[in-house]
Amino acid sequence: MTMRRWLLLALPVVLIALPFALRPPPQPEPARQVIVITPHGEAIRTEFSAAFAAWARRELHQEVGIDWRTPGGTGDILRYLDDRFSEANAARLGRRSTSFNDPKAATGDADRAAFLASNDSVGIDVFFGGGEFPYRQQANKGYLVDGGIQREHPEWFSPSVIPRELSGERMYDQQGRYYGACISAFGIAVHHDRLAGLIPPGPIETWRDLAEPRLAGAVVVADPTRSGAIATAFERVLQSELAQAAADPDKPTAEELERGWNAGWDILRRIAANAAWVSDGASKAVRAVARGDAAAGMCIDFHARAESEWSTISSGATRLSFVVPRAGTSLSADPIALLRGSPNRDLGVAFIRFVLSEDGQRLWNYRVGEPGGPQRYALRRLPIRMDLYADQHRQHMSDATVDPFADAARFTYRGKLTGPLYSLIAPLAKGAIFDPRDELQAAWAAICSAGGPQRVPQAAAAFARLPTSYANATQELAELQSTPLRRLEMTRRWADTARLNYREARQLAVEGR
């Protein structure tokens, strides 16, 4: 074989091998890593990995990395922690299983007391991301522990930096078991062009606006049983209507509570009736609005801001905005916490300290490339520290004009009204609204065709019936949580009752009554 033929045969091999030969050697893993479980996406993980490594190099004089664990959303993480802590506790006790993770069932239980005094570990240092309510649950179960951040930095927890509460919502645990890392608001994503095409045209400024007949077929909504963010948005609608129904929202009467409860559920029902389809996730609903497939949809603020940025980059025009519902939403903390039995406790505490420091807080809303800001991704989240909204920081921020604390001042979250019923909201919505959605939409279409709810009051009354009253909601929730079979039976009963009501409403609307 000639040299030329050898070269021709060898050339493809060389072309394939050359990139591998020229590729720089992989960087070795840092000698130490903090293990973090999170529902946060790639952008947040990327930026916090790079920034924490640089901070640790400077402050701790160590090469430190982050070992991210991402089993899914917040609900998946909660189930994972339950299973792993149950296993750890059972192994220590030499039993097959325990019920220690139910603090109500285990009040005074020696097993639970032993667990709270133990160093049981799931092999993870930090839980980062998710809503405040799940963190409160995990703290009460004993999964989250105090890492001493408040004692180390008491100046961070003053009313002018990280206040204890904002708009009625808890920003951190007084016992130090978790801290808000950033804040979020629930509101409405709107597509400007689709909104301008509505008849009659007009802005969307409140939750009630989403329930107007003019938005029929122009709304997208996520299933609250699949999205914790949307379940919380539903709760904000109920909170808003409960407050508006009462002469004194802090001391509502039984009649006012029933009126607000029914009004809130009627708005949620109409929003779902207006929906062209139901998404299985809050971020998917926002992307539908960004594409112009819907005029509006419920969302969490950072989803809308991120989609707005991407759509502006791709199209050159701003087509999507986030609307804070007037007197309709509060600020919620998105926390971080140290887990019991942290295998790298010093690094876990250091990571939490970094996230709450100015260095960590800048990442949430600084523009890409700004000094101290993210390097690849604009996160478009809002820092929890109030001092990060001073002018010297705002000039570097993506959302420099946003004033979340002014928005929060217009709304007060009254946890005692809906907090104990939070676990009822999603299943009740599924049974009374989403499962019988065909009948719901047929009834709403007939009511709208007849001139709207005021023109057919009997149809509107049948449409607005709710399977459970506010007075009975606590009992219904207890029954719902008794067994999985009972939960299924109750959801089916709610759906069957709602179908009958919607069919009656449709018939009355057709008859003009």
Side-chain angles (χ1 to χ4, degrees), residues 385-507:
R385 289 181 56 148
M386 298 179 75
D387 55 345
L388 260 289
Y389 295 85
D391 290 342
Q392 67 266 30
H393 294 292
R394 282 191 178 274
Q395 62 182 316
H396 303 291
M397 293 171 71
S398 297
D399 301 290
T401 61
V402 172
D403 188 349
F405 307 107
D407 293 333
R410 302 184 186 100
F411 180 93
T412 298
Y413 176 78
R414 295 172 173 86
K416 66 179 182 180
L417 298 183
T418 57
L421 303 175
Y422 182 83
S423 298
L424 177 70
I425 293 171
L428 182 55
K430 174 178 170 58
I433 295 176
F434 290 96
D435 283 354
R437 189 163 163 268
D438 289 344
E439 291 83 359
L440 167 76
Q441 291 194 304
W444 182 238
I447 289 171
C448 292
S449 295
Q454 293 180 340
R455 298 292 296 273
V456 282
Q458 292 183 48
F463 183 79
R465 288 186 198 130
L466 193 63
T468 182
S469 65
Y470 183 87
N472 292 332
T474 300
Q475 180 180 343
E476 291 271 271
L477 176 58
E479 191 174 352
L480 184 78
Q481 295 178 326
S482 59
T483 67
L485 177 60
R486 188 61 185 136
R487 181 185 185 93
L488 182 62
E489 291 172 347
M490 292 181 68
T491 305
R492 184 182 298 128
R493 172 170 59 82
W494 290 335
D496 290 342
T497 301
R499 283 190 180 94
L500 293 175
N501 291 334
Y502 298 145
R503 288 169 184 162
E504 179 185 348
R506 179 179 180 278
Q507 184 60 38

Side-chain angles (χ1 to χ4, degrees), residues 46-131:
T46 297
E47 296 298 341
F48 274 87
S49 289
F52 178 60
W55 180 88
R57 199 174 298 122
R58 184 178 68 250
E59 299 293 329
L60 307 179
H61 310 293
Q62 296 184 43
E63 292 296 327
V64 176
I66 301 178
D67 178 359
W68 297 103
R69 307 291 173 86
T70 55
T74 303
D76 299 304
I77 292 173
L78 301 183
R79 286 187 289 273
Y80 177 84
L81 293 178
D82 271 341
D83 292 343
R84 293 294 305 277
F85 271 116
S86 292
E87 291 170 3
N89 191 59
R92 176 171 46 78
L93 295 172
R95 300 177 186 173
R96 183 167 298 178
S97 64
T98 66
S99 61
F100 78 96
N101 59 5
D102 182 355
K104 292 182 180 178
T107 301
D109 188 348
D111 287 350
R112 176 167 169 77
F115 168 69
L116 295 178
S118 77
N119 200 36
D120 284 358
S121 175
V122 297
I124 297 171
D125 300 305
V126 172
F127 181 14
F128 182 29

Side-chain angles (χ1 to χ4, degrees), residues 89-372:
N89 191 59
R92 176 171 46 78
L93 295 172
R95 300 177 186 173
R96 183 167 298 178
S97 64
T98 66
S99 61
F100 78 96
N101 59 5
D102 182 355
K104 292 182 180 178
T107 301
D109 188 348
D111 287 350
R112 176 167 169 77
F115 168 69
L116 295 178
S118 77
N119 200 36
D120 284 358
S121 175
V122 297
I124 297 171
D125 300 305
V126 172
F127 181 14
F128 182 29
E132 189 273 334
F133 183 74
Y135 273 74
R136 195 185 315 174
Q137 291 179 314
Q138 304 310 292
N140 291 337
K141 290 177 181 179
Y143 298 172
L144 313 182
V145 296
D146 179 15
I149 300 292
Q150 290 182 58
R151 294 188 297 275
E152 186 177 352
H153 292 284
E155 72 278 6
W156 290 355
F157 300 94
S158 68
S160 60
V161 182
I162 305 179
R164 175 80 171 87
E165 289 189 350
L166 277 172
S167 61
E169 295 218 43
R170 190 176 301 175
M171 296 295 107
Y172 64 88
D173 176 54
Q174 203 159 13
Q175 298 179 47
R177 296 170 297 179
Y178 62 86
Y179 308 96
C182 59
I183 51 178
S184 301
F186 299 89
I188 305 166
V190 297
H191 191 280
H192 302 164
D193 295 341
R194 286 293 307 272
L195 195 60
L198 295 178
I199 301 175
I204 293 177
E205 298 176 335
T206 67
W207 296 122
R208 291 182 180 182
D209 291 339
L210 282 180
E212 293 179 351
R214 69 190 177 108
L215 268 85
V219 171
V220 60
V221 66
D223 182 345
T225 65
R226 304 290 298 276
S227 169
I230 296 305
T232 304
F234 275 34
E235 186 194 18
R236 296 303 179 273
V237 174
L238 296 171
Q239 281 270 333
S240 178
E241 292 302 315
L242 285 164
Q244 293 187 55
D248 182 354
D250 292 315
K251 298 178 181 178
T253 66
E255 181 182 353
E256 289 170 338
L257 288 171
E258 292 295 347
R259 187 163 63 247
W261 176 255
N262 288 323
W265 279 104
D266 195 37
I267 289 171
L268 295 172
R269 186 185 296 109
R270 295 184 190 191
I271 291 173
N274 277 340
W277 75 94
V278 178
S279 166
D280 62 359
S283 60
K284 292 181 181 179
V286 175
R287 285 195 289 272
V289 177
R291 291 193 302 267
D293 296 339
M298 286 181 165
C299 69
I300 194 166
D301 56 358
F302 62 89
H303 284 158
R305 293 188 179 111
E307 284 298 328
S308 176
E309 180 159 323
W310 280 111
S311 64
T312 301
I313 292 171
S314 61
S315 67
T318 302
R319 295 177 178 171
L320 180 75
S321 293
F322 175 72
V323 174
V324 177
R326 188 173 61 246
T329 194
S330 57
L331 293 179
S332 296
D334 195 340
I336 187 170
L338 185 71
L339 286 164
R340 179 176 297 277
S342 165
N344 308 285
R345 184 183 173 93
D346 61 326
L347 290 187
V349 172
F351 181 64
I352 295 172
R353 188 167 72 247
F354 162 72
V355 170
L356 296 180
S357 71
E358 283 195 13
D359 295 289
Q361 291 285 295
R362 290 189 193 102
L363 296 175
W364 291 121
N365 203 260
Y366 266 35
R367 295 186 294 272
V368 171
E370 293 285 342

